Amino acid sequence: MNNNYDIARAWVADGCPRLRIESREDLEAARTIHRAACEVMRAEGPASGVDAGRLNELESDIGYAGDRHWTFQWKIIAGAILSVVLLYWWSGSKEEDVAAQKAKVGMVEAWQKGDTIVAIEAFKGGAELFSWDNRLQSASLYKGYKLQLKARDYYGVQYNIDSYLRDAQITSDPEKKERYLKKAEEYKAKQPENEKKYLDEYNEIAAMDFEAIRDMALQETGTRLKAEEGSRGTVNFWFWFLVICTPLYIFACRPYGYSLTRHAVEAETLNAIHRFGMWASGGLVGASAALHFTTIITKWSDGTTTKSDDGMGPVIGVLKILLIVAAVIVFCFTCCVIMAYATVTGLIRNYDWKAIFGRLSGKAPAASPAAAS
């Protein structure tokens, strides 16, 4: 009883302050003070100096700190679910991209021997003799397309010089004129070096046999295939991460009250980030809604009227879609980042895993209600 008297007297001497409970140790200390103050108050009554109101506040704070509280937010769960749906759709699209790229690799592997001989002069003036779309159909078409690219670089040297000289003649701005002429001189000074470089590269490709051309095409298509497979793997990872993380988020967001008090500043920061993300997403949706088509009403001499837009209809339509897509991305990204952070920190802070695993294995007694910190 003397020890309880000492504890209660010390609390009363401090003015019965409201205790900030931020850990399991703080919680146990507050419970000890509460028990001691109650015993002294029962023994001495008003003469004990214990403030009954502060004692009730302490009891309430202990109850809050010792209980678990659900802190997950339905908006974040909704954002994660929407992300899962979008990633599922994107994953299907990535599967199609990988299959299409595998088909291109197979097309190159099935090439029959063939060759293309084209003089560089055939591409003068920007002639398009080969197409990017069908370049992988045969070795001849692929080689011709690669030669066309190098010829474009070769003739592009003179084209850039002529373009700057033409701009210098057209403009009436002295500063722009001087800048254009300077750029033309710079390109002209490097013209022999650049033309020789591109011509050598052209001749190098022209001298390649079937095997060398096929190896070049396989390297290009194989690199693209690896990129598509890597992209598919990334999408699948985030899809399954969110599928697993969503229920874990709910489970993790059940801290004790004292943990909420300790990390109150962090929680406010996360809430501010969440509010900003929601504000930005809502702002993008609002901007999309604010875009309107301009309707032009024409009244003819016979009294009839017709309505038409100002020609910006398709552009505005695309902008509306892009703004809505951006709003969805911002919303989902914000929710997923907060969910991932809250899940990881919640699982670490809100559960005593050593005690849990020990209890499951039968090697440790059950943890106390305030075991997690």
Side-chain angles (χ1 to χ4, degrees):
M1 187 69 175
N2 291 335
N3 185 45
N4 284 343
Y5 266 112
D6 293 339
I7 294 173
R9 293 298 181 203
W11 184 59
V12 171
D14 288 339
C16 300
R18 189 165 189 174
L19 304 178
R20 186 172 177 83
I21 306 174
E22 298 183 346
S23 67
R24 183 181 60 182
E25 291 76 16
D26 291 344
L27 176 60
E28 293 303 326
R31 284 172 172 166
T32 300
I33 291 174
H34 181 265
R35 284 195 299 269
C38 287
E39 289 183 14
V40 171
M41 190 174 184
R42 281 195 299 269
E44 299 183 1
S48 64
V50 175
D51 188 321
R54 291 296 180 87
L55 190 62
N56 289 335
E57 284 182 356
L58 179 58
E59 183 178 5
S60 176
D61 291 343
I62 291 172
Y64 174 82
D67 288 340
R68 287 188 179 274
H69 305 269
W70 292 109
T71 59
F72 65 85
Q73 299 184 45
W74 286 109
K75 285 189 290 186
I76 291 178
I77 294 175
I81 292 174
L82 178 58
S83 299
V84 167
V85 172
L86 293 176
L87 286 170
Y88 179 79
W89 168 80
W90 197 8
S91 176
S93 175
K94 287 298 178 183
E95 291 290 347
E96 295 176 0
D97 292 341
V98 170
Q101 194 60 34
K102 284 183 177 179
K104 291 179 181 179
V105 173
M107 183 186 298
V108 173
E109 291 174 339
W111 277 355
Q112 300 298 316
K113 283 192 175 182
D115 199 3
T116 296
I117 300 175
V118 185
I120 194 170
E121 290 77 15
F123 299 104
K124 192 172 184 178
E128 297 283 343
L129 305 182
F130 299 91
S131 170
W132 183 87
D133 294 330
N134 61 9
R135 75 194 190 287
L136 297 177
Q137 292 181 4
S138 70
S140 299
L141 291 174
Y142 184 82
K143 184 176 182 179
Y145 181 74
K146 288 295 183 180
L147 290 173
Q148 181 173 281
L149 291 179
K150 289 303 173 184
R152 186 179 300 166
D153 291 337
Y154 175 80
Y155 288 112
V157 175
Q158 183 63 51
Y159 175 83
N160 287 332
I161 296 172
D162 295 340
S163 177
Y164 278 115
L165 290 174
R166 184 172 58 253
D167 291 341
Q169 291 177 349
I170 294 173
T171 184
S172 58
D173 188 332
E175 292 184 2
K176 289 184 178 180
K177 185 180 185 70
E178 182 180 356
R179 185 165 65 249
Y180 293 148
L181 289 174
K182 184 177 180 181
K183 293 294 292 186
E185 287 300 322
E186 290 175 358
Y187 273 91
K188 197 168 185 178
K190 295 181 179 179
Q191 184 175 12
E193 176 187 347
N194 289 334
E195 287 184 340
K196 182 180 183 305
K197 171 189 172 185
Y198 294 133
L199 183 60
D200 289 345
E201 291 175 352
Y202 183 94
N203 291 332
E204 183 180 348
I205 295 174
M208 287 183 176
D209 59 12
F210 170 77
E211 296 297 335
I213 287 295
R214 186 172 66 173
D215 288 344
M216 180 188 290
L218 285 174
Q219 182 178 5
E220 177 187 327
T221 54
T223 300
R224 182 62 184 172
L225 177 58
K226 288 181 180 179
E228 293 291 356
E229 289 176 338
S231 180
R232 178 187 62 181
T234 301
V235 172
N236 288 338
F237 168 80
W238 285 111
F239 170 79
W240 287 111
F241 174 81
L242 290 175
V243 167
I244 296 171
C245 190
T246 302
L248 283 180
Y249 166 71
I250 298 174
F251 175 75
C253 291
R254 194 166 174 251
Y256 285 103
Y258 59 76
S259 184
L260 285 174
T261 302
R262 186 199 313 175
H263 301 290
V265 175
E266 178 184 289
E268 283 297 320
T269 302
L270 289 177
N271 287 334
I273 294 173
H274 189 208
R275 287 194 299 269
F276 177 79
M278 297 304 100
W279 173 84
S281 180
L284 290 169
V285 173
S288 175
L291 291 175
H292 297 290
F293 302 101
T294 301
T295 303
I296 300 175
I297 302 176
T298 305
K299 188 172 183 179
W300 303 94
S301 57
D302 61 358
T304 61
T305 59
T306 57
K307 295 181 179 180
S308 62
D309 63 51
D310 60 353
M312 293 296 292
V315 175
I316 292 176
V318 171
L319 285 175
K320 280 178 169 286
I321 294 173
L322 290 176
L323 287 170
I324 291 175
V325 170
V328 172
I329 291 174
V330 170
F331 173 70
C332 291
F333 178 78
T334 303
C335 291
C336 291
V337 168
I338 293 177
M339 172 182 280
Y341 182 82
T343 300
V344 173
T345 56
L347 290 175
I348 293 173
R349 296 170 179 170
N350 301 332
Y351 294 93
D352 187 347
W353 293 105
K354 185 176 180 180
I356 291 173
F357 287 127
R359 185 165 66 252
L360 291 176
S361 63
K363 295 180 180 180
S368 65
S373 60

